[in-house]
Amino acid sequence: MHTVNIHEAKTHLSRLIEKAAKGEPFIIAKAGKPLVKVMALDAPMPGATKRTGFMAGQFTVPDDFDCMGEEDIEAMFGGDA
């Protein structure tokens, strides 16, 4: 993440805000010490990433998925159920 000092932030605020709005957050520091993080309002919060469907279309599940290995399982556990 890009860090700028207060003077640079004042000088290039418009440019920095445009970048942050496009998803490139930055940190403003004073005397080398980070003070604030500037990021877009609609940016996802850390740890709040949407996980459902993140691998959609990357693999397929066979139609017989719920029956796969049925014979082996019956052989291992007696098949009396």
Side-chain angles (χ1 to χ4, degrees):
M1 186 172 307
H2 186 65
T3 302
V4 296
N5 63 36
I6 291 177
H7 177 72
E8 183 181 352
K10 287 181 191 178
T11 305
H12 302 288
L13 187 60
S14 295
R15 178 179 53 88
L16 292 168
I17 288 174
E18 280 184 35
K19 284 183 159 186
K22 292 178 182 176
E24 297 178 40
F26 65 95
I27 296 173
I28 298 176
K30 182 177 183 178
K33 181 180 177 186
L35 294 178
V36 296
K37 178 178 174 181
V38 179
M39 57 190 281
L41 287 176
D42 61 354
M45 296 302 292
T49 306
K50 178 182 170 188
R51 300 289 298 166
T52 304
F54 73 103
M55 293 187 73
Q58 294 186 21
F59 62 92
T60 57
V61 178
D63 292 334
D64 64 342
F65 175 77
D66 57 342
C67 306
M68 291 174 59
E70 190 172 90
E71 296 84 19
D72 295 332
I73 294 170
E74 285 180 13
M76 289 189 324
F77 295 101
D80 296 332

